[in-house]
């Protein structure tokens, strides 16, 4: 249904752009408009009250009566939970205590997910962006957050039992020295988990609809599996293995 502006009530608007539903794959285009008077940006037309539930599944939301903590509701997306669970399982199934480092922790979404599992492990998040760490501070109550550079990690040698690199290694542009720095802070029995998006996954991100040139750059920066193997071997890692994981949306 076409609706007036929720803020000022005006009915004049202009279309900013149209988007496909990349999350669930619903057919058609969704139109984003901006109010001509107050410049509020909103979906118009939008689903009616009687049809809005068709665009969501039980995994996308919680009923109030369930009294789910806000932190859990913020990370309730099922495919995301499955991916993170897969990526951290090689570490967590062997370590019920100790210290784990998340390099490039961003806004702390992954660390907050780990906190909900109540493992007796100390988690440390590292990122170069103070803005991201500020957001993460509100999500991660028990984890340590540190501003720092992954190429010069501010930790003693063999400080961690596990290190997680979640969609971050391709951003460094220097995989070999990066992995050597990681190897230094891992103890001799430590485990490293590297999560890397593939080209198919990148092309599904809606952000690239507006920044196609950025997609080309990011695809070029993705390291090949062979190059990662080589860098891991040169960084003195042993028992290297890989798995390709596909989660259908």
């Amino acid at each position: 249904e076409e609706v007036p502006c929720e803020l000022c009530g005006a009915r004049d608007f202009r279309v900013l752009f149209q988007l496909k539903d990349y999350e669930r794959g619903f057919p058609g285009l969704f139109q984003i408009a901006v109010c001509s008077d107050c410049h509020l940006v909103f979906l118009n037309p939008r689903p009616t009250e009687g049809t809005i539930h068709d665009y969501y599944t039980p995994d996308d939301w919680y009923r109030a009566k369930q009294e789910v903590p806000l932190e859990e509701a913020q990370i309730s997306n099922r495919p995301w939970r499955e991916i993170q669970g897969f990526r951290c399982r090689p570490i967590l199934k062997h370590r019920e205590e100790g210290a784990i480092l998340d390099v490039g922790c961003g806004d702390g979404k992954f660390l907050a997910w780990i906190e909900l599992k109540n493992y007796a492990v100390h988690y440390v998040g590292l990122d170069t962006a103070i803005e991201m760490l500020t957001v993460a501070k509100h999500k991660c109550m028990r984890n340590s957050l540190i501003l720092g550079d992954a190429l010069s990690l501010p930790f003693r040698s063999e400080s961690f039992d596990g290190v997680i690199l979640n969609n971050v290694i391709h951003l460094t542009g220097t995989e070999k020295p990066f992995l050597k720095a990681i190897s230094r802070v891992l103890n001799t029995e430590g485990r490293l988990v590297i999560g890397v998006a593939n080209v198919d996954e990148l092309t599904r991100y809606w952000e690239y609809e507006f920044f196609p040139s950025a997609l080309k750059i990011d695809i070029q920066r993705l390291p090949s599996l062979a190059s990662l193997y080589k860098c891991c071997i040169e960084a003195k890692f042993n028992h290297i293995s890989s798995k390709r994981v596909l989660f259908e949306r």
Side-chain angles (χ1 to χ4, degrees):
E1 61 177 346
E2 188 170 299
V3 295
C5 174
E6 293 282 0
L7 185 61
C8 71
R11 289 190 171 274
D12 292 330
F13 62 88
R14 63 182 177 88
V15 177
L16 288 178
F17 50 80
Q18 294 179 323
L19 283 174
K20 297 179 181 178
D21 179 8
Y22 291 99
E23 180 67 23
R24 297 297 180 188
F26 287 106
L29 295 174
F30 294 83
Q31 184 169 280
I32 307 300
V34 58
C35 176
S36 300
D37 289 358
C38 71
H39 306 295
L40 177 72
V41 177
F42 58 104
L43 182 68
N44 198 17
R46 68 184 184 191
T48 65
E49 184 176 349
T51 62
I52 186 66
H53 65 276
D54 294 334
Y55 295 89
Y56 296 91
T57 70
D59 289 312
D60 292 320
W61 56 280
Y62 288 90
R63 298 183 186 276
K65 66 180 181 181
Q66 289 179 296
E67 298 181 354
V68 176
L70 176 61
E71 292 82 3
E72 184 173 350
Q74 289 175 335
I75 55 176
S76 62
N77 183 270
R78 181 178 58 82
W80 189 91
R81 292 199 311 270
E82 291 175 349
I83 292 173
Q84 304 319 313
F86 175 85
R87 285 177 175 169
C88 70
R89 196 174 300 130
I91 292 178
L92 296 179
K93 73 177 181 180
H94 293 282
R95 295 286 177 181
E96 294 183 356
E97 57 184 18
I100 293 179
L101 172 65
D102 181 8
V103 178
C105 65
D107 64 359
K109 190 176 185 180
F110 177 74
L111 291 173
W113 181 85
I114 290 294
E115 278 194 2
L116 292 173
K117 299 300 179 181
N118 290 319
Y119 292 105
V121 179
H122 178 62
Y123 295 90
V124 178
L126 178 88
D127 206 280
T128 58
I130 186 64
E131 297 84 1
M132 286 292 192
L133 293 176
T134 301
V135 175
K137 184 178 180 181
H138 297 288
K139 297 180 181 179
C140 309
M141 303 303 173
R142 302 193 305 272
N143 294 314
S144 300
L145 301 172
I146 296 177
L147 181 68
D149 188 344
L151 291 175
S152 55
L153 295 170
F155 307 108
R156 295 192 303 271
S157 297
E158 300 189 10
S159 299
F160 295 95
D161 302 289
V163 175
I164 297 173
L165 308 177
N166 191 14
N167 284 336
V168 70
I169 194 169
H170 68 286
L171 301 177
T172 67
T174 52
E175 290 89 359
K176 184 176 178 179
F178 181 39
L179 289 175
K180 285 187 175 181
I182 298 297
S183 178
R184 180 185 65 81
V185 301
L186 267 175
N187 64 38
T188 54
E189 299 296 324
R191 288 173 174 263
L192 168 65
V193 176
I194 303 175
V196 181
N198 56 42
V199 174
D200 181 62
E201 182 180 351
L202 284 181
T203 56
R204 298 185 185 192
Y205 292 169
W206 64 266
E207 293 91 338
Y208 293 123
E209 185 88 4
F210 308 101
F211 305 102
S213 60
L215 175 61
K216 294 180 181 179
I217 294 173
D218 282 346
I219 289 177
Q220 292 173 351
R221 291 195 296 183
L222 287 177
S224 67
L225 186 59
S227 67
L228 283 179
Y229 265 84
K230 181 179 179 181
C231 290
C232 286
I233 292 173
E234 292 176 347
K236 309 301 182 184
F237 285 98
N238 300 313
H239 309 295
I240 305 167
S241 63
S242 64
K243 287 185 179 181
R244 184 177 187 274
V245 183
L246 175 64
F247 288 96
E248 294 291 348
R249 293 185 181 274

